[in-house]
Amino acid sequence: MTSNTGSCHKTRYGVIVCDNNEKWGGVTGIGKLFINAFGSNSELEEWRVFAAIEGEGPSEKDLDTFDGFFITGSPYSANDNIKWINDLKKFISSAALNSSKARVVGVCFGHQLIGAALGGKVTANPSQKFVLQSEQVKTDKNFQGNEAIKNLIGNIDGPLRLLECHGECVAALPPGAQSLAESETCQHEMVHFTENLFGIQAHPEFTVQHYKEHLISTVFNAGKIDENGKRVCEESIAIEQPLHSSKIAAALKKFVSKQDN
């Protein structure tokens, strides 16, 4: 399923969109956000946006025709008993049973959804507070899983600095899953769930500008953070240290496209 440039075979990716807030331009805008973060602008790549939140998610057959999928964040909970969420859990379970087919990366809600679908536990953050800030993510240098991810965390001195935005997290891993990163607010920041399923709690698709223009005001106005939480976020994104978002995005792209093989 990996691309073959000699025969001009296109590698197909799907963005499974789980949010349609107009502040991002709805489903289309969120899809573009992920394509910009993970795409290469190559003519050998083909991207499709699935409006999962509107009941238009991928089918099990799509695991045969796509090389990889990215599941986005969402204002919903992975524990919500809603048809489109339950349908995505079935899709994830099917992917886990067919490791030779498409790979799947879950981001934030997508990460939590994979955990819940495979038998893990998703709960409110341990602090019971909404997390909105840049944060240091400590990785396990002894991780022996996927090579693309292993190479990334092995080549960075010190913790990763990533952008966080979540009220829930994966609290207990499903059977066989391997956690390889943690932060002060989340024990399982990155998880290699199965050979073809990977999740990350942080948001490599977001930038500091996204936080300044949209997220801080939106989350504050919704009452999810107070004045102190707003100050903590503003101070954390003003730190003059580089984010590792682009490096994480590149590693996840290698994972989902099987470039680690």
Side-chain angles (χ1 to χ4, degrees), residues 96-111:
L97 293 173
N98 296 277
S99 61
S100 64
K101 297 184 179 181
R103 288 187 173 181
V104 181
V105 167
V107 174
C108 194
F109 169 82
H111 169 54

Side-chain angles (χ1 to χ4, degrees), residues 61-79:
K61 292 181 180 179
D62 289 318
L63 291 169
D64 291 311
T65 58
F66 283 78
D67 293 85
F69 296 90
F70 294 87
I71 307 176
T72 76
S74 177
Y76 288 88
S77 169
N79 297 317

Side-chain angles (χ1 to χ4, degrees), residues 136-204:
Q136 288 191 339
V137 176
K138 298 178 181 179
T139 56
D140 180 3
K141 300 296 183 180
N142 296 316
F143 173 64
Q144 296 300 314
N146 178 266
E147 285 298 319
I149 308 298
K150 182 180 177 180
N151 289 339
L152 169 75
I153 63 178
N155 291 331
I156 294 178
D157 294 328
L160 300 166
R161 183 170 169 252
L162 299 171
L163 294 171
E164 305 277 356
C165 177
H166 59 95
E168 295 184 328
C169 63
V170 175
L173 296 177
Q178 183 179 3
S179 182
L180 65 144
E182 65 178 349
S183 67
E184 288 187 0
T185 63
C186 179
Q187 182 181 0
H188 304 300
E189 281 279 352
M190 286 191 281
V191 177
H192 196 186
F193 289 102
T194 67
E195 182 180 342
N196 61 327
L197 297 176
F198 195 93
I200 179 169
Q201 183 57 63
H203 284 271

Side-chain angles (χ1 to χ4, degrees), residues 8-21:
C8 295
H9 169 73
K10 287 190 176 183
T11 309
R12 302 186 73 206
Y13 300 104
V15 182
I16 303 172
V17 180
C18 304
D19 188 1
N20 56 5
N21 195 308

